[in-house]
Amino acid sequence: MKEPGPGVVYTETVIYSPPQAYVNDVPYQLAIIELDAGGRLTGRIDGDRATIGDKVTLVELRNEVPFFRKK
C-alpha cells in the first residue's frame, strides 16, 4: 500500500463494539479521510478525537491500517 498523504475528516465514528481482533482497542475512532491528493480512505484516528472538517496527517501504518492524527 502506498502511504497516503494528509487530508480532511469526511466523516467519523467511535467504535465501542468491535470485531474480536480489536476488542482490546475500544473505544477507538474510525474516520473516512478525504485525501489532499484525491480520493478517500478509511483509517483510524490516533490521539485526540477528530471531528468532521479537521485536517489530519498520517502518523503510521500498522498492519496496513493507516493511523491519522489531527494537525
Side-chain angles (χ1 to χ4, degrees), residues 37-59:
R40 295 180 183 149
L41 63 81
T42 302
R44 298 238 331 233
I45 301 297
D46 192 36
D48 293 336
R49 184 167 179 188
T51 58
I52 294 170
D54 282 345
K55 293 183 182 203
V56 292
T57 187
L58 180 72
V59 177

Side-chain angles (χ1 to χ4, degrees), residues 11-30:
T11 191
E12 57 80 29
T13 190
V14 176
I15 305 298
Y16 294 97
S17 297
Q20 188 62 35
Y22 301 104
V23 73
N24 293 326
D25 295 347
V26 293
Y28 61 90
Q29 187 178 20
L30 287 179

